[in-house]
C-alpha cells in the first residue's frame, strides 16, 4: 500500500486516541498503522476527538510508527466526563475516570455544586483548555462515593457515552407492541413448530437470539439455524430503529447489561423462549456426511423452542448421555448428531486455514454490593464450540448467497495482517524455536493455525496466542466483501444476533425484502446509500463496547486483587517493557513488577522485547516463563496491580540496605 506521506496532501483526518502518559495516536481510514502523536503536539485533543493532523515523519526502524502533529480539532468526542472530585482550599478539580484523558478538569468554587472531596461526579466541560491552561468544567451531577463498587459499570457507561436510557418515542413504540406473537403475524410463514428445536446459551442469558435444530436426511444432515425476526417489529426509520442505530450493540458488563433494544423486545417478544411461538428467519442448510454444504434455504418462519439448555447442561448431555433418562432421548440423539457435525465443520475450517483463538475469557462474580468475590478463566466447552460452529456456518452461507447475487449488503470483513506486524511476530516466535512460512511478505491464515497447534499445551501457549491475536487487523463492517482472513472465509457476515447487533438487524431487512419478490433498483439504490454509514457507525459502536468492557474488567480485577495484598501466586510473564515485567495469573488478572523495585541488579531489555537480563548477575526474565509473585499493592486510580517476585522477597536487598 502506498504510504500517506507519499500522497498529496500531507494533511490527514482521523480519530485521536489518548494515553495516560499524554501522547496519543491517530487512526486514519485507509492507513494500516495508527500515527504517533508526541505529548507536546496533541493540541489538547481528547480521546475520541476527530482531528486534522500533519504527518511530519515516516515510519522507520523496528516497530516505529509514522509521526504526526495535530493541527486542528474538528469535532469533540466528549462534552461531559465522569471522574473523582478533589477539593483544595480555593478550588477543586476532577480526575477523569477515563485513563486515556490524562488531564484534570479545573472546577471553580461556584461550579462545584456542593460536591465533596472523593465523590464521583459528572462534569460538563466548559473550556477544553490550551497549552498553558487546564480544561475547565462545572459539576453537573453527583453520582456517589468514589469507592462504591456498585457504581463501577454505570460510571464506565457514562464515561464512554454509551446511551443507557431509551428516549420517550422509543419507549412508547415498545409499549405498543404485543406481549405475545399474534396469530396474524404468523400468516404466510413456513411453520417449523413441529421441528425439535433447542437454544443453548449461558446460564444468565435472557435475550435468546438463536435456536438450532438438526435432522438426519438421506446422505447427511439438515441443520436449522433459526434467528429471531426482530425486523418484523423494529421497522426502518422508526424510533426503535433510530435508537438501535445510535447504540449499535448491546453492552455486557459485570453486573450490568445495556441492551440495544428495550427489554420488552430483547428479553420478551423477540427472545426465543422455550414453549412460546416466535417469529424467526431460518437458514436451513443441507450437508453431506463429510460436512460439505450441498444446499440451503432462507425463509421467514415461526418456531417453538422445545428446550432451553445451558452450555454446561448441553455439554454434559454430549459427554455423559448415560446420566439422562428416556424423557431426554430425542434431545440426546439430536445433540449427538450435532456434536458429530460440529467436529466435521471444525475440521473443514482447520484444513482451509481458519484460526481458532482458544483464549480463556474472564468470568467475574460480584456480591450484592457489586464487589468482585470470584474471578476465573471461563473456558469454552463442547456445547459452546458447537454453537459457534453452527453460527459461523450460517453467517458464511448467508453472506455467500447475497454476495453472488450482487445485492447491497453488510459484510464482516477481516484483512490480512500488515507486513510489519508479521515480521515482528516472526522474529518473536523464532526466539522460542518456532517458524512460520512467509512468502513475499504475505502469510496464509493456515500458518497461524499451525503455529497455534504447535504451542498447544506449552508454557508459552497463552502468551504467543495473545501476540498472534495482537498481530491481526481488527475486523470491521463493510459494504464491500474482501473476505475474512481469520476464518479463511471468502464471504462472511453477522446474521445470527439481531437482538444485540445492528448489522444483523439491517441485513435481515434486506433478506426479507428479497424473499418477498426481490429488491427493486430503487430499493437497491436506497440501501447502497445508507449502508456505508451504517457499517462505519456499527464498527465504531462495537469498539466502544469492547473498550468499556475492558475498562470495567480492569477495575473489577484491581478491586479483587486489593483484597489479596501479600498473597503469593504462580503466574506467567506476559509482557516485558523498559519499565517492568507484566505477569498474568491463571485467573486472568495481570500485574506489573516494576524494574525500579528490583534492587538486586540493573536490568536491560533486548531488542526483540523477549528478555530482560541483569547486567551484573545475569538473571534473565523471559516472555512466557513461569514466575511466582507476591501481590505488592493496588492503585485504584490507575487500575493497576503491583507485584514483586515471591522467591526473592525475603532474601534480596531492600532500598534501605543501600543507605
Amino acid at each position: 500500500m502506498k504510504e500517506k506521506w507519499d500522497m498529496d496532501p500531507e494533511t490527514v483526518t482521523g480519530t485521536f486516541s489518548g494515553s495516560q502518559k499524554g501522547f496519543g495516536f491517530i487512526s486514519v481510514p485507509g492507513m494500516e498503522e495508527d500515527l504517533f502523536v508526541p505529548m507536546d503536539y496533541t493540541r489538547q485533543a481528547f480521546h475520541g476527538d476527530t482531528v486534522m493532523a500533519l504527518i511530519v515523519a515516516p515510519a522507520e526502524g523496528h516497530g516505529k510508527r509514522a509521526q504526526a502533529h495535530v493541527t486542528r480539532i474538528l469535532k469533540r468526542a466528549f462534552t461531559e466526563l465522569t471522574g473523582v472530585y478533589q477539593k483544595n482550599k480555593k478550588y477543586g478539580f476532577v480526575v477523569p475516570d477515563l485513563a486515556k484523558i490524562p488531564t484534570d478538569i479545573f472546577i471553580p468554587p461556584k461550579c462545584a455544586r456542593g460536591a465533596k472531596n472523593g465523590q464521583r461526579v459528572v462534569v460538563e466541560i466548559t473550556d477544553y483548555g490550551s497549552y498553558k491552561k487546564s480544561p475547565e468544567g462545572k459539576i453537573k451531577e453527583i453520582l456517589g462515593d468514589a469507592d462504591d463498587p456498585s457504581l463501577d459499570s454505570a460510571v464506565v457507561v457514562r464515561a464512554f457515552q454509551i446511551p443507557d436510557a431509551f428516549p420517550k418515542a422509543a419507549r412508547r413504540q415498545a409499549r405498543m407492541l404485543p406481549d405475545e406473537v399474534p396469530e396474524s403475524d404468523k400468516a404466510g410463514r413456513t411453520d417449523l413448530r413441529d421441528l425439535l428445536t433447542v437454544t443453548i446459551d449461558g446460564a444468565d442469558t435472557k435475550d435468546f437470539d438463536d435456536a438450532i435444530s438438526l435432522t438426519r436426511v438421506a446422505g447427511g444432515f439438515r441443520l436449522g439455524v433459526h434467528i429471531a425476526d426482530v425486523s418484523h417489529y423494529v421497522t426502518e426509520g422508526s424510533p426503535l430503529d433510530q435508537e438501535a442505530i445510535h447504540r449499535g450493540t448491546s453492552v455486557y458488563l459485570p453486573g450490568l447489561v445495556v441492551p440495544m433494544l428495550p427489554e420488552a423486545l430483547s428479553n420478551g417478544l423477540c427472545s426465543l423462549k422455550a414453549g412460546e411461538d416466535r417469529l424467526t428467519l431460518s437458514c436451513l442448510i443441507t450437508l453431506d456426511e463429510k460436512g460439505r454444504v450441498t444446499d440451503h434455504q432462507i425463509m421467514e418462519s415461526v418456531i417453538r423452542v422445545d428446550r432451553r439448555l445451558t452450555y454446561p447442561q448441553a455439554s454434559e448431555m454430549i459427554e455423559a448421555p448415560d446420566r439422562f433418562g428416556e424423557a431426554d432421548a430425542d434431545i440426546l440423539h439430536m445433540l449427538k448428531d450435532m456434536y458429530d457435525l460440529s467436529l466435521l465443520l471444525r475440521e473443514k475450517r482447520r484444513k482451509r486455514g481458519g484460526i481458532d483463538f482458544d483464549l480463556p475469557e474472564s468470568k467475574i462474580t460480584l456480591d450484592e454490593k457489586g464487589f468482585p468475590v470470584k474471578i476465573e478463566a471461563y473456558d469454552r466447552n463442547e456445547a459452546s464450540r458447537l454453537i459457534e460452529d453452527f453460527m459461523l456456518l450460517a453467517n458464511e452461507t448467508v453472506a455467500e448467497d447475497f454476495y453472488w447475487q450482487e445485492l447491497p449488503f453488510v459484510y464482516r470483513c477481516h484483512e490480512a495482517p500488515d507486513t510489519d506486524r508479521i515480521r515482528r511476530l516472526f522474529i518473536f516466535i523464532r526466539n522460542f524455536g518456532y517458524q512460520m512460512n512467509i512468502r513475499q511478505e504475505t502469510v496464509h491464515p493456515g500458518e497461524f493455525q499451525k503455529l497455534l497447534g504447535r504451542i498447544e499445551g506449552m508454557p508459552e501457549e497463552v502468551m504467543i496466542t495473545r501476540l498472534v491475536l495482537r498481530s491481526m487487523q481488527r475486523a470491521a463492517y463493510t459494504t464491500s466483501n474482501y473476505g475474512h482472513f481469520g476464518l479463511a472465509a471468502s464471504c462472511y457476515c453477522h446474521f445470527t444476533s439481531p437482538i444485540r447487533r445492528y448489522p444483523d438487524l439491517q441485513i435481515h431487512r434486506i433478506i426479507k425484502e428479497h424473499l418477498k419478490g426481490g429488491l427493486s433498483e430503487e430499493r437497491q439504490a436506497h440501501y447502497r446509500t445508507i449502508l456505508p454509514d451504517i457499517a462505519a457507525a456499527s464498527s465504531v459502536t462495537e469498539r466502544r463496547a469492547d473498550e468499556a468492557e475492558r475498562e470495567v474488567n480492569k477495575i473489577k480485577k484491581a478491586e479483587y486483587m486489593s483484597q489479596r495484598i501479600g498473597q503469593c501466586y504462580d503466574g506467567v510473564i506476559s509482557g516485558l517493557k523498559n519499565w517492568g515485567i507484566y505477569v498474568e495469573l491463571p485467573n486472568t488478572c495481570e500485574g506489573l513488577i516494576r524494574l525500579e523495585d528490583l534492587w538486586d541488579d540493573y536490568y536491560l531489555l533486548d531488542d526483540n522485547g523477549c528478555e530482560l537480563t541483569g547486567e551484573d548477575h545475569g538473571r534473565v526474565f523471559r516472555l512466557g516463563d513461569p514466575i511466582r509473585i507476591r501481590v505488592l499493592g493496588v492503585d485504584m486510580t490507575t487500575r493497576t496491580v503491583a507485584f514483586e517476585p515471591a522467591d526473592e522477597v525475603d532474601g534480596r536487598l531492600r532500598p534501605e540496605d543501600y543507605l
Side-chain angles (χ1 to χ4, degrees), residues 221 287-294 341 344-345 348 393:
F221 309 87
L287 306 100
D288 64 19
E289 291 285 357
K290 294 184 178 180
R292 295 175 298 202
V293 175
T294 59
L341 177 58
L344 292 173
L345 295 175
K348 283 180 77 277
L393 178 63

Side-chain angles (χ1 to χ4, degrees), residues 38-261:
M39 180 172 60
D40 293 338
Y41 297 95
T42 64
R43 206 178 181 89
Q44 289 71 54
F46 276 33
H47 177 72
D49 287 352
T50 303
V51 301
M52 186 178 291
L54 184 69
I55 300 176
V56 297
E60 55 185 27
H62 174 67
K64 191 172 182 181
R65 299 172 188 263
Q67 189 177 128
H69 296 171
V70 176
T71 57
R72 187 179 173 191
I73 313 293
L74 300 178
K75 183 181 179 182
R76 291 290 185 179
F78 293 94
T79 57
E80 296 178 357
L81 294 169
T82 64
V84 179
Y85 180 68
Q86 302 289 339
K87 187 176 182 180
N88 289 335
K89 288 184 178 179
K90 295 183 178 180
Y91 61 90
F93 57 93
V94 171
V95 181
D97 287 316
L98 195 59
K100 292 185 176 183
I101 297 179
T103 181
D104 298 340
I105 313 298
F106 174 75
I107 308 296
K110 63 181 180 180
C111 299
R113 201 172 179 170
K116 297 178 181 178
N117 193 50
Q119 286 187 317
R120 183 160 267 115
V121 300
V122 178
V123 57
E124 181 182 336
I125 302 172
T126 56
D127 187 336
Y128 288 88
S130 63
Y131 183 72
K132 296 182 179 180
K133 181 184 176 185
S134 296
E136 190 170 314
K138 59 183 180 181
I139 305 299
K140 185 177 179 181
E141 184 181 349
I142 298 171
L143 300 175
D145 293 333
D147 58 358
D148 183 353
S150 68
L151 292 174
D152 292 336
S153 290
V155 163
V156 168
V157 165
R158 296 289 291 270
F160 282 86
Q161 301 188 97
I162 296 171
D164 60 345
F166 286 94
K168 183 183 292 185
R171 295 198 308 271
R172 185 186 304 116
Q173 183 184 354
R175 285 196 302 270
M176 293 173 64
L177 294 172
D179 295 329
E180 300 296 334
V181 178
E183 286 299 320
S184 58
D185 287 355
K186 304 171 191 176
R189 291 174 171 265
T190 303
D191 191 341
L192 301 177
R193 284 175 287 187
D194 290 336
L195 206 58
L196 181 61
T197 308
V198 297
T199 60
I200 307 177
D201 292 274
D204 299 328
T205 302
K206 296 179 181 177
D207 51 349
F208 302 108
D209 280 298
D210 57 89
I212 53 174
S213 61
L214 187 71
T215 54
R216 282 277 187 175
V217 295
F221 309 87
R222 179 167 292 124
L223 171 68
V225 178
H226 314 280
I227 309 301
D229 187 1
V230 179
S231 63
H232 185 84
Y233 302 103
V234 182
T235 54
E236 183 179 323
S238 67
L240 282 173
D241 183 49
Q242 292 174 19
E243 183 63 13
I245 293 174
H246 184 44
R247 295 181 178 224
T249 180
S250 296
V251 183
Y252 299 89
L253 305 174
L256 180 67
V257 176
V258 183
M260 185 180 78
L261 298 168

Side-chain angles (χ1 to χ4, degrees), residues 191-199 211-216 222-226 284 302-309 317 327-338:
D191 191 341
L192 301 177
R193 284 175 287 187
D194 290 336
L195 206 58
L196 181 61
T197 308
V198 297
T199 60
I212 53 174
S213 61
L214 187 71
T215 54
R216 282 277 187 175
R222 179 167 292 124
L223 171 68
V225 178
H226 314 280
L284 301 184
V302 55
I303 69 165
R304 183 187 298 125
V305 171
D306 293 276
R307 181 82 72 88
R308 179 262 201 271
L309 299 174
M317 295 177 93
D328 297 312
D330 288 346
I331 288 180
L332 288 170
H333 181 73
M334 185 173 70
L335 285 174
K336 172 64 169 61
D337 287 343
M338 286 180 170

Side-chain angles (χ1 to χ4, degrees), residues 512-531:
K512 289 174 61 179
E513 212 168 322
H514 176 66
L515 291 175
K516 292 176 179 177
L519 289 170
S520 66
E521 289 296 329
E522 182 182 357
R523 293 300 293 167
Q524 289 189 44
H526 166 72
Y527 283 122
R528 289 195 174 96
T529 299
I530 67 171
L531 291 184

